[in-house]
Amino acid sequence: MPSQKILILSGHPGESSLSKSLCQAYSGAAEAQGHDVRFHDLSKMKFDMDYGQSGYENSKPLEPDLDAFLSDLEWANHVVMATPLWWGSIPAKLKGVFDRALLPGRTFDTRNVSFMGLPRPMLKGKTARVLLTSDTPSIFLRLFYGNAVKKTISRQILGFVGITPTRFTSFAPATDANEAKVSKWINQAAGLGAKAT
């Protein structure tokens, strides 16, 4: 497999988390196989996550951490994100990254729309892997909630700007997972990293 340019976003706002451990395992294995990895840690990113009322015409200037993230998103051909499932969705700070950084003119083109009126995505040619931790087993996410969080991430966020397909790997139930289970998950993330998938 040719070398991949991989952006990894540890999307848990806490300094230590299962999400970060999964990302670190993926990153280490990918780098060991010669892939070029750029790692972003949500817990260390400093920015105002509130988009505010200014609109796209007068949007807030991107803080250095968001500007670096967006530049690396444009650079990458594969995006890896780990996130916990909180109240059926992603953490507010992680949503803030997308609210602030996915800007017209860099990630989608409002001057060039489809026959359905959707702006042209500008990040085509990239794929994604989401490492989703939760206390809700995958089967219940599908049966009771219609995989809502997966649809939001894959279609309304990443897919909207052209990043497709998005593949998911679920790790659940996570809160009370024992050491053996966590170790197995870490090895699973490393296996994905070694294949850069």
Side-chain angles (χ1 to χ4, degrees):
M1 167 182 273
S3 177
Q4 299 281 341
K5 296 184 293 185
I6 304 172
L7 164 66
I8 297 180
L9 174 58
S10 174
H12 193 296
E15 288 189 12
S16 62
S17 66
L18 175 58
S19 295
K20 184 184 285 188
S21 296
L22 294 170
C23 284
Q24 289 169 332
Y26 188 108
S27 177
E31 289 180 324
Q33 294 299 315
H35 300 294
D36 193 354
V37 174
R38 297 183 184 177
F39 194 102
H40 292 260
D41 182 352
L42 183 67
S43 72
K44 292 181 168 39
M45 295 173 71
K46 294 183 173 27
F47 62 94
D48 180 359
M49 63 185 188
D50 182 11
Y51 188 82
Q53 302 296 320
S54 59
Y56 284 136
E57 292 77 15
N58 298 298
S59 58
K60 298 175 186 177
L62 292 181
E63 293 88 344
D65 286 341
L66 288 182
D67 191 53
F69 171 79
L70 181 52
S71 294
D72 286 347
L73 186 62
E74 293 169 323
W75 161 86
N77 55 29
H78 187 55
V79 178
V80 176
M81 177 178 78
T83 179
L85 177 68
W86 286 356
W87 292 107
S89 189
I90 61 179
K93 188 176 180 182
L94 179 56
K95 178 64 163 48
V97 171
F98 300 128
D99 286 348
R100 292 286 317 284
L102 298 185
L103 296 172
R106 290 186 70 176
T107 64
F108 60 95
D109 184 358
T110 57
R111 297 165 302 177
N112 186 354
V113 298
S114 71
F115 72 95
M116 294 179 64
L118 296 174
R120 181 179 67 84
M122 297 178 69
L123 299 181
K124 285 188 171 182
K126 305 174 190 296
T127 57
R129 167 75 62 180
V130 175
L131 309 174
L132 181 67
T133 68
S134 74
D135 287 330
T136 306
S138 294
I139 189 168
F140 294 130
L141 276 182
R142 179 170 56 84
L143 293 177
F144 295 128
Y145 303 115
N147 280 332
V149 68
K150 295 182 180 181
K151 291 173 183 175
T152 298
I153 294 170
S154 63
R155 300 178 190 176
Q156 295 178 282
I157 299 176
L158 300 180
F160 187 84
V161 297
I163 301 172
T164 183
T166 296
R167 296 182 175 89
F168 288 84
T169 304
S170 295
F171 303 90
T175 297
D176 295 320
N178 58 34
E179 280 189 37
K181 177 67 76 174
V182 171
S183 179
K184 179 181 176 182
W185 289 343
I186 296 295
N187 289 336
Q188 187 177 355
L192 293 169
K195 298 174 184 176
T197 60

